[in-house]
Amino acid sequence: MPADQPYWDMVESTAKELSARYGYRRIETPIFEATELFVRGVGEATDIVSKEMFTFPDRGGRSLTLRPEGTAPIVRAYFDAGMQLEPQPARLFYIGPYFRAERPQRGRYHEFHQFGVEAIGDASPLLDVEVILLGWQWFSAIGLDGLQLQLNSIGDEVCRPAYRERLREYYRPHLQELSAESRARFERNPLRLFDSKEPQDQALKRQAPHIVDHLCAPCADAFAEVQGALSEAQVPFTLNPELVRGLDYYTRTVFEYQHRDLGGAQNALGGGGRYDGLAAELGYKATPGIGFALGMDRTVMLLKEHRELQVTHPDVYALAVEGEATPHIFHIAGQLRQSGLKVVVDPTGLRLETKLRNAAKQGARVSVLIGPDERQRGEVVVRDMRSKTQVSVPEGELLGIVARTLDSA
Ligand code: HAM
């Protein structure tokens, strides 16, 4: 809606400026892609793939999906465009619509928008810190505070399988006490047991072993490096050993930006992590990557409660007092616009008082009026909408007088 646009403009332009300052270049992938890309990339057993995709066959019988997220498509595009041959890492950012068929509620929509970044082609933990910092600075640059950064490591293919078994061993004697959803997760993806909000699962969850305590040495070292560099960059973070994220491609660092004013399950304003196994999962050469996506709709929703941004008002409201002068008022408006002013023309046959009232309602600072007398004398009336005073000036002097009135208004 128009009243929201100043917020969208601001968050988008901040995203573009900040990304450029970090050397990230914009990329946009297609709105829909082959379903297979998301099934393989995001993971068959995830909520996104199993319940939330808008999937449909095209006329050729191919299965297409409205993109539910950006990371798998960007890794595909990275290889399709040969970016692996350029200096690494490739630093990319994106702003656009995404689609998930979740039950809509406050802060959760079928069509939503993300600002995201992906840094592909390097495994350095310092790159994790760069990405986390970029996201953190975006929130502060747009003026949203009250944010909490949560951090965890979920290991890699070396240490995770053994941990997964350990977690199953812990839960196995208690399967009957678990909710139905958690029982399903026990089979498909036991790490997601930590995402359960069901009251009956909470006691068991509290005692469950955490993956951060079972990392292999390289994963543990990487995680220590991330924490050290974040502290040095003075980014406050909270370790959350239960943070596992709902997409299958993550390895090692995972993080979320949460906000206290977003209740319940929808408290993440954004999240991300490392996905060193994703490229191989999609059939490409194994290539590490790290990124985040930030929910712009949720961010704008909160920003509106915290900060007031004005819609832009016209500088000048141009109106003819009577019908015959109307074509000429378009001409005058054109001249004013050429000098860079925002000019709204009133083409209506309404009464003068009504037109002036509409000018005030739209927030115009100056009105320019022509009546039959002015038209005959080659003059125009310039009205200062704040002081409600007006002067009649020769048309040739209009620009100067309007500029002066705007300066004083
Ligand atoms: P995600 O956590 O699924 O991660 O989504 C990121 C953010 O998008 C969420 O924190 C939330 O703010 C917003 N979001 C998600 N679903 C909805 C919805 N239905 N309505 C409104 N906002 C929503 C990803 O998408 C990963 N691709 C992030 C990433 C990039 N990981 C590595 N690189």
Side-chain angles (χ1 to χ4, degrees):
M1 288 297 138
D4 293 339
Q5 297 308 323
Y7 294 90
W8 286 93
D9 286 346
M10 193 269 288
V11 299
E12 281 185 32
S13 60
T14 307
K16 289 176 194 167
E17 277 163 32
L18 196 61
S19 301
R21 238 184 287 158
Y22 276 77
Y24 285 67
R25 294 178 303 150
R26 185 157 182 178
I27 182 169
E28 290 303 334
T29 58
I31 302 286
F32 60 84
E33 298 223 31
T35 302
E36 186 61 17
L37 172 67
F38 302 108
V39 175
R40 287 174 69 175
V42 178
E44 189 136 31
T46 60
D47 287 351
I48 294 182
V49 169
S50 64
K51 306 193 261 211
E52 297 169 359
M53 295 204 301
F54 288 99
T55 295
F56 53 94
D58 74 359
R59 292 194 196 198
R62 288 164 294 216
S63 180
L64 301 177
T65 291
L66 293 181
R67 59 185 192 183
E69 66 100 46
T71 309
I74 286 171
V75 169
R76 176 197 58 66
Y78 165 92
F79 285 101
D80 285 359
M83 283 187 234
Q84 75 276 26
L85 306 175
E86 297 171 7
Q88 302 296 298
R91 290 183 164 91
L92 306 165
F93 81 96
Y94 50 102
I95 298 171
Y98 293 83
F99 306 84
R100 293 183 197 176
E102 302 177 81
R103 194 168 49 80
Q105 59 185 68
R106 182 180 129 92
R108 193 159 82 185
Y109 314 101
H110 282 173
E111 176 172 1
F112 59 99
H113 301 78
Q114 290 185 339
F115 156 46
V117 310
E118 310 293 348
I120 307 175
D122 189 83
S124 164
L126 292 180
L127 202 53
D128 305 21
V129 176
E130 172 178 293
V131 164
I132 293 171
L133 193 59
L134 204 170
W136 184 256
Q137 288 190 337
W138 181 71
F139 287 112
S140 102
I142 63 174
L144 191 65
D145 47 27
L147 223 70
Q148 204 201 36
L149 171 63
Q150 301 223 341
L151 190 68
N152 194 22
S153 171
I154 57 167
D156 63 7
E157 282 320 304
V158 177
C159 49
R160 210 183 311 159
Y163 165 75
R164 215 181 269 130
E165 262 332 292
R166 184 185 288 265
L167 193 59
R168 281 211 179 94
E169 268 162 38
Y170 166 80
Y171 271 105
R172 195 168 283 118
H174 307 287
L175 281 181
Q176 294 318 313
E177 300 154 42
L178 288 177
S179 63
E181 177 150 29
S182 285
R183 273 202 299 276
R185 284 176 172 168
F186 173 87
E187 296 299 337
R188 287 200 315 254
N189 185 357
L191 254 74
R192 298 282 324 281
L193 284 160
F194 287 108
D195 282 343
S196 170
K197 301 277 185 298
E198 296 295 325
Q200 74 193 87
D201 298 335
Q202 299 311 307
L204 272 171
K205 196 166 93 173
R206 270 194 293 276
Q207 306 294 322
H210 292 141
I211 185 152
V212 271
D213 302 323
H214 300 278
L215 297 176
C216 57
C219 283
D221 290 348
F223 195 40
E225 199 176 337
V226 169
Q227 293 176 58
L230 277 177
S231 301
E232 200 165 319
Q234 296 188 326
V235 179
F237 59 88
T238 306
L239 291 176
N240 177 357
E242 296 188 358
L243 181 71
V244 291
R245 310 259 311 134
L247 301 90
D248 278 358
Y249 49 61
Y250 289 117
T251 50
R252 297 193 169 174
T253 310
V254 290
F255 57 96
E256 267 180 14
Y257 305 97
Q258 304 191 344
H259 199 280
R260 50 167 189 246
D261 294 353
L262 281 173
Q266 260 56 255
N267 64 353
L269 275 183
R274 205 160 249 298
Y275 45 87
D276 296 347
L278 175 57
E281 203 60 56
L282 294 176
Y284 301 107
K285 178 170 165 263
T287 305
I290 164 95
F292 65 61
L294 312 180
M296 301 176 84
D297 311 76
R298 284 178 196 180
T299 303
V300 164
M301 184 177 87
L302 290 186
L303 211 51
K304 279 164 67 180
E305 293 162 12
H306 286 247
R307 261 185 87 173
E308 194 158 338
L309 292 181
Q310 294 296 324
V311 269
T312 51
H313 298 297
D315 299 309
V316 178
Y317 196 84
L319 62 96
V321 179
E322 280 179 13
E324 307 91 83
T326 306
H328 193 61
I329 203 76
F330 275 93
H331 172 72
I332 288 190
Q335 286 181 332
L336 291 168
R337 288 190 190 114
Q338 279 204 326
S339 72
L341 295 174
K342 295 190 273 291
V343 186
V344 170
V345 172
D346 186 333
T348 67
L350 295 169
R351 287 165 47 233
L352 177 61
E353 299 86 89
T354 314
K355 290 189 185 197
L356 283 175
R357 208 175 318 123
N358 286 343
K361 274 189 191 158
Q362 293 188 35
R365 290 181 292 156
V366 169
S367 286
V368 167
L369 303 77
I370 314 183
D373 295 348
E374 284 81 22
R375 184 83 185 96
Q376 218 157 36
R377 292 199 300 268
E379 292 189 343
V380 207
V381 174
V382 177
R383 183 179 173 88
D384 182 333
M385 296 298 289
R386 217 163 283 176
S387 64
K388 300 201 171 85
T389 54
Q390 58 188 51
V391 284
S392 195
V393 298
E395 244 190 80
E397 292 170 25
L398 177 65
L399 275 178
I401 304 281
V402 167
R404 217 170 312 139
T405 318
L406 282 172
D407 278 347
S408 69

